[in-house]
Amino acid sequence: MLFNSLEFPLFLALVVMLFHLVKHNLFRQYLLLGASLFFYGYWKWSYLALLLISSSIDYWAAIQIRRHEDQQKKRLFLFLSLAGNLSILLFFKYGKFLGESFFVSEEQIPDWLNVLLPVGISFYTFQAMGYVVDVYRNRLPAEKSYASFLLFITFFPQLVAGPIERAPHLLKQLKDFTHDIDVKWMPGLWLVAAGFAKKLLLADRLGVYVDAAFNHPGESTAPQLLMATFFFAFQIYCDFSGYTDIARGISLFFGVDLMKNFNRPYLARTLADFWRRWHISLSGWFRDYVYYPLGGNREGKWKMHINLLIVFALSGLWHGANWTFLIWGLWHGFGLLAERMVTSTKPEKHPGFIHYLITVIWVFTGWFFFRVNSWADILIFKQTLTESSSWTMADFNLFHSNSEILLSFAGIGLLWIMEALQNKESLSGRTVSLNLQTILLAATLFVVLWFGHFKGQDFIYFQF
Amino acid sequence: MKTNRILFFVVLVVGLHVMFNFWYRNVLTADSISRQKESAFEKQKSTPRIWIFGDSHPMLGINPALLPGSFNFAGTSENYFLNYVRLKSLISQNKKPEILVLPAELHSLSAQGKALVLGHELDDVYWSDRISLSFLNEETTDPSFTRWWISARFFPYAGQFYRIFSQWKKSEYKADSLGFIASENNFGSLKEGERRSSAESRFQSHFHSYPAIDTFQIQFLRKTMALCKSEGIRLVFVRFPVTREYWNLCQENPAVVKVDSVLDSKLKGYPILSLRYSFAGSPEIFSDPDHVNTKGAAQVTTRIVQFLDSLRKTPASAQ
């Protein structure tokens, strides 16, 4: 079920109403679990079985890890869990890609490799793997209640596109729905409204232009391509952070506080800073479960550089089975290495604004590789960019009406200004009365309704 | 959040919604082509004998003043699905014609037709008022139409901001008392390069990223044929004229040209008047690459009158 579908508000209203009508911890847990399974199964019921099988393996493996004292056996169950998760991920997400790499033509790929990618598979398998590793590392006890564990994996607001939560933070909250849970209605509604505004006012609007430019290589002009890349940077940010805002807002209706996944990433002054602000839950996951176990920065400069590149290559591939994602990951990996080398030698020579500009250009160029459909398209676009001679205004604007372009830029500008002002001391601490907040909330809702782009487009990160 | 604050929020949202809904339905889109034509049709003393349905081609191309007993219902982007909806709706009001004229164009089967409806690009208020949920359940299996219907019926203003600026109480077109919309533009006054680029732009708008043949449109073409047969209505198809520039682009595209043979097979046994290339050398009778202007409409209508006269000699039972 899509957050921006007609069915979702009805589904959510029903679940929230039942949740607050019956103030019983177990009832609430089972209600949310049932709702989450329905939410996921609504896409394709058969993939619910996959989700249940993979979760059951992790639940069982974690119990076994805690039950056994012998390190060898603990390691065996950890291996079984990780192997199970990674096999599922490898088959469903990378099977076709590997098939295409091994077989000469597309017709030779066996039918069983042409399976549809289950929604959110990378998110829930990573969340489950993180849990099992934490149990193995004695950071938390194995969850005894299967229902609580399943709810931790399937909690519907964050099931399909994160944030990738850690058990010590989320599981604890999902086990305790006592009478006096802290339901934050107003902050929750604001987050939901902000999320829908980002998705419907900006992301989906920009997506029309971006798709037109990137899906027709050879037809797009160089100016269109540059503008589409710029638009895509904001499309993906608004789409993904919009989803996270909605997920966090909805969770607050149940008294659940999900982690922050974005912190104004396009205001980052360095690439390292960008990665502390962008998809925070995934960056943290790779840091804790891949980078540190590889040795992190404890084993010398060169090893650290290699570890960094491995992490970014994996991070790129996490997004999907395509060479373009690998290029995107490595683009950021090499960018970070270069940044570390330069700033560690003469940091004073790089004033804030220049560094900011370089960071923005690097990140936005990276989005080009992320969005492009294939390696072959990169070559076509390279030709377009190098051979283009016409740069008139008309060359920019073919896929959108003038009012849409104007709205897109106005939205981007407003977003940038709002994020820049968010932490200004002169503004922080000012309180707005609840009545005014209610009116502003209603106004936001109608701005989204009038100016939104209602074509029912999926959230981009669902495919990952 | 206290209960009274939730109540305040709900009352505020519902109140604003009702206000916007009313404004959008009764002020902002009250002058749409469909509603102008329906209002003109209701003022007719007797039910016209010949009804003209279809998209902008018949809308601009047939002048009912030159075709006695006819009324032009056609409106921008109206496809076979919407033609069927209108015909069924009027028949349910005990109104029906003797002859129904429909276009048979290269873009008549394009998937763009469905996309425009589902994308809320047409007059949602008008069309959703003529479609019921039970109609959708009976006629389509596509759940996206139910979603379209719910949002069109209850939130018609959603995403329609541009209408505030572009359609404030006035429509781009004005229909006369018989539903005809006159266009005085002269495509022939453009330079050759301008004509070519204009044709490219029109061609792109019809076929760019849309498959030329959509089974959905074929399905509703068949339904219209069946309905006409059961009601004893004679169906006549017309291929409207296009300019040489537009026709050349069509011929370069095999997928587009193929539409004619598909349509011919579906329309077997039905009279088709093909005027597509009849006026290609006269750009001055066109308002743009694929629409005739008022002068062109007079010539096209004259040809249709002659065609219908010739059909009188042929029994309708052939259909």
Side-chain angles (χ1 to χ4, degrees):
Chain A
M1 199 182 297
L2 289 173
F3 281 173
N4 53 336
S5 67
L6 273 173
E7 298 92 325
F8 186 74
L10 297 174
F11 163 82
L12 181 66
L14 187 71
V15 178
V16 171
M17 207 172 65
L18 285 172
F19 184 88
H20 289 284
L21 271 179
V22 184
K23 294 180 175 176
H24 186 276
N25 188 26
L26 261 185
F27 171 83
R28 285 173 162 180
Q29 271 195 51
Y30 280 103
L31 171 74
L32 287 181
L33 178 59
S36 300
L37 296 177
F38 176 80
F39 174 84
Y40 193 72
Y42 199 79
W43 264 291
K44 200 167 165 54
W45 291 101
S46 57
Y47 284 141
L48 197 55
L50 184 74
L51 175 67
L52 290 172
I53 290 167
S54 100
S55 307
S56 303
I57 294 171
D58 297 321
Y59 169 76
W60 170 78
I63 298 266
Q64 296 306 319
I65 287 169
R66 285 307 279 219
R67 184 181 288 170
H68 291 88
E69 293 296 321
D70 180 10
Q71 204 57 30
Q72 288 276 61
K73 283 193 176 163
K74 278 177 184 279
R75 222 172 274 156
L76 173 73
F77 289 114
L78 174 69
F79 171 78
L80 283 176
S81 163
L82 295 182
N85 279 303
L86 291 173
S87 306
I88 288 171
L89 207 56
L90 210 65
F91 177 77
F92 283 96
K93 193 158 180 168
Y94 304 99
K96 196 179 170 207
F97 172 68
L98 293 173
E100 280 167 357
S101 305
F102 283 113
F103 298 98
V104 181
S105 69
E106 206 162 307
E107 292 79 44
Q108 285 181 299
I109 303 171
D111 282 345
W112 53 268
L113 276 177
N114 277 318
V115 284
L116 211 70
L117 182 69
V119 183
I121 189 169
S122 305
F123 287 94
Y124 71 73
T125 48
F126 267 49
Q127 186 159 310
M129 283 197 289
Y131 161 79
V132 179
V133 173
D134 281 348
V135 171
Y136 173 79
R137 287 175 177 171
N138 276 327
R139 291 200 179 142
L140 77 154
E143 176 54 47
K144 286 179 188 153
S145 158
Y146 181 62
S148 298
F149 174 73
L150 205 54
L151 180 56
F152 162 67
I153 299 295
T154 62
F155 185 49
F156 74 86
Q158 51 95 232
L159 168 62
V160 288
I164 303 168
E165 279 284 351
R166 306 294 177 87
H169 181 239
L170 182 60
L171 190 53
K172 195 178 142 199
Q173 297 182 69
L174 295 176
K175 279 176 72 73
D176 186 19
F177 291 117
T178 45
H179 293 210
D180 52 350
I181 52 165
D182 186 17
V183 178
K184 293 169 182 149
W185 291 105
M186 196 48 107
L189 282 170
W190 268 116
L191 276 170
V192 171
F196 275 116
K198 281 179 183 172
K199 169 73 178 161
L200 297 170
L201 292 179
L202 260 178
D204 287 354
R205 172 160 282 115
L206 298 172
V208 176
Y209 192 98
V210 172
D211 289 349
F214 278 98
N215 293 345
H216 302 100
E219 290 177 28
S220 322
T221 64
Q224 280 169 346
L225 210 54
L226 290 182
M227 188 137 105
T229 305
F230 175 75
F231 277 176
F232 181 66
F234 285 92
Q235 184 201 355
I236 194 162
Y237 172 51
C238 291
D239 194 284
F240 194 16
S241 73
Y243 176 89
T244 312
D245 288 344
I246 298 167
R248 291 181 65 219
I250 290 169
S251 301
L252 288 179
F253 300 159
F254 306 111
V256 174
D257 186 17
L258 293 180
M259 71 176 289
K260 213 173 168 182
N261 217 9
F262 293 89
N263 183 18
R264 301 173 297 146
Y266 293 154
L267 297 179
R269 288 182 176 270
T270 63
L271 265 187
D273 189 23
F274 173 78
W275 281 104
R276 282 190 290 272
R277 294 162 175 258
W278 178 271
H279 203 172
I280 299 166
S281 63
L282 183 70
S283 310
W285 197 98
F286 273 110
R287 182 195 60 221
D288 293 347
Y289 303 112
V290 181
Y291 182 67
Y292 287 162
L294 283 173
N297 52 5
R298 287 165 294 161
E299 294 172 26
K301 212 160 104 182
W302 285 107
K303 186 77 197 297
M304 182 197 78
H305 289 169
I306 289 167
N307 291 344
L308 208 65
L309 288 178
I310 291 173
V311 164
F312 274 95
L314 287 175
S315 165
L317 283 176
W318 176 89
H319 287 86
N322 197 332
W323 294 113
T324 55
F325 291 126
L326 183 66
I327 295 170
W328 172 77
L330 289 173
W331 174 263
H332 275 276
F334 281 111
L336 263 173
L337 290 188
E339 185 178 86
R340 282 187 182 201
M341 283 174 195
V342 173
T343 50
S344 63
T345 49
K346 288 178 181 172
E348 73 284 359
K349 287 213 166 178
H350 302 279
F353 182 70
I354 300 290
H355 217 144
Y356 173 68
L357 206 63
I358 293 169
T359 304
V360 166
I361 291 170
W362 194 270
V363 170
F364 282 26
T365 310
W367 289 129
F368 169 81
F369 297 114
F370 190 96
R371 177 57 185 84
V372 79
N373 291 324
S374 65
W375 175 252
D377 284 5
I378 293 180
L379 299 178
I380 296 171
F381 287 138
K382 183 184 155 262
Q383 199 177 357
T384 306
L385 288 168
T386 49
E387 290 175 7
S388 180
S389 55
S390 175
W391 290 83
T392 62
M393 277 309 284
D395 291 316
F396 280 94
N397 186 4
L398 263 182
F399 310 121
H400 251 333
S401 65
N402 286 340
S403 58
E404 290 285 327
I405 294 277
L406 205 68
L407 263 183
S408 303
F409 276 111
I412 289 171
L414 196 67
L415 179 77
W416 213 322
I417 291 168
M418 280 170 71
E419 296 209 334
L421 292 178
Q422 208 169 306
N423 276 10
K424 284 275 176 205
E425 276 180 28
S426 57
L427 294 174
S428 61
R430 286 193 187 180
T431 52
V432 179
S433 78
L434 275 172
N435 280 339
L436 184 58
Q437 276 196 50
T438 313
I439 292 169
L440 285 174
L441 192 63
T444 310
L445 184 74
F446 283 101
V447 167
V448 173
L449 271 174
W450 271 103
F451 291 87
H453 204 267
F454 294 91
K455 306 283 178 194
Q457 278 150 309
D458 280 358
F459 285 88
I460 295 173
Y461 266 70
F462 278 14
Q463 61 184 298
F464 306 140
Chain B
M1 210 179 188
K2 287 178 185 168
T3 316
N4 56 359
R5 186 150 291 115
I6 296 175
L7 209 64
F8 172 55
F9 179 71
V10 171
V11 169
L12 189 66
V13 167
V14 172
L16 282 170
H17 170 67
V18 169
M19 196 184 81
F20 284 139
N21 222 342
F22 180 85
W23 183 50
Y24 186 83
R25 282 177 161 267
N26 300 302
V27 181
L28 213 52
T29 60
D31 199 30
S32 73
I33 299 172
S34 315
R35 283 188 256 176
Q36 281 182 42
K37 292 197 174 194
E38 192 164 271
S39 146
F41 182 74
E42 279 161 10
K43 285 177 192 155
Q44 302 296 311
K45 285 177 188 151
S46 59
T47 304
R49 221 165 42 79
I50 304 168
W51 291 1
I52 297 137
F53 279 14
D55 58 12
S56 52
H57 288 191
M59 176 180 95
L60 299 167
I62 304 179
N63 186 349
L66 307 173
L67 180 59
S70 69
F71 187 88
N72 191 332
F73 273 104
T76 312
S77 302
E78 286 184 17
N79 48 65
Y80 290 143
F81 166 66
L82 298 179
N83 298 159
Y84 177 73
V85 168
R86 175 176 279 137
L87 185 62
K88 211 164 174 187
S89 163
L90 288 167
I91 286 174
S92 73
Q93 296 167 36
N94 291 321
K95 291 170 187 166
K96 65 176 180 181
E98 286 170 28
I99 297 171
L100 177 63
V101 179
L102 284 180
E105 307 286 43
L106 286 169
H107 60 268
S108 289
L109 299 179
S110 160
Q112 190 188 28
K114 186 176 167 183
L116 286 170
V117 176
L118 295 179
H120 304 281
E121 308 266 349
L122 307 180
D123 184 359
D124 269 1
V125 173
Y126 177 84
W127 291 111
S128 64
D129 282 351
R130 269 138 204 88
I131 294 174
S132 64
L133 265 185
S134 61
F135 171 90
L136 285 179
N137 286 338
E138 282 166 25
E139 307 288 355
T140 73
T141 49
D142 187 345
S144 45
F145 273 96
T146 311
R147 289 191 199 106
W148 164 78
W149 185 85
I150 293 170
S151 49
R153 198 37 101 80
F154 301 107
F155 298 94
Y157 60 88
Q160 304 288 335
F161 74 93
Y162 61 92
R163 289 193 199 271
I164 301 173
F165 308 108
S166 65
Q167 276 190 309
W168 176 257
K169 289 181 84 170
K170 62 178 193 300
S171 174
E172 191 185 346
Y173 297 111
K174 282 279 170 235
D176 68 14
S177 61
L178 293 172
F180 179 61
I181 290 171
S183 169
E184 302 302 337
N185 292 347
N186 180 359
F187 185 67
S189 66
L190 297 178
K191 289 175 189 158
E192 203 181 321
E194 290 171 332
R195 290 211 295 260
R196 208 169 35 241
S197 91
S198 173
E200 274 167 17
S201 155
R202 286 291 304 164
F203 182 81
Q204 290 275 324
S205 79
H206 280 143
F207 300 105
H208 184 73
S209 75
Y210 292 106
I213 296 171
D214 181 11
T215 51
F216 177 79
Q217 293 300 338
I218 296 177
Q219 187 192 337
F220 279 91
L221 173 62
R222 282 193 179 133
K223 281 174 186 276
T224 307
M225 288 168 164
L227 185 59
C228 285
K229 194 172 183 180
S230 68
E231 295 291 333
I233 301 166
R234 184 158 205 186
L235 254 179
V236 173
F237 291 88
V238 178
R239 288 195 167 117
F240 286 85
V242 294
T243 56
R244 181 175 290 131
E245 289 81 0
Y246 185 88
W247 181 233
N248 287 345
L249 288 168
C250 296
Q251 283 183 310
E252 286 167 17
N253 195 322
V256 173
V257 176
K258 196 184 156 200
V259 175
D260 269 343
S261 58
V262 173
L263 262 175
D264 284 345
S265 70
K266 307 293 170 201
L267 304 182
K268 209 171 179 183
Y270 288 90
I272 308 174
L273 170 64
S274 186
L275 302 173
R276 186 171 295 145
Y277 202 61
S278 306
F279 304 99
S282 314
E284 70 284 354
I285 68 146
F286 288 89
S287 63
D288 65 34
D290 61 316
H291 292 106
V292 289
N293 56 24
T294 313
K295 272 187 199 164
Q299 298 196 30
V300 169
T301 313
T302 307
R303 296 285 289 269
I304 292 174
V305 171
Q306 291 165 358
F307 186 65
L308 292 179
D309 278 345
S310 72
L311 284 180
R312 280 196 195 137
K313 294 160 196 162
T314 323
S317 56
Q319 292 180 13

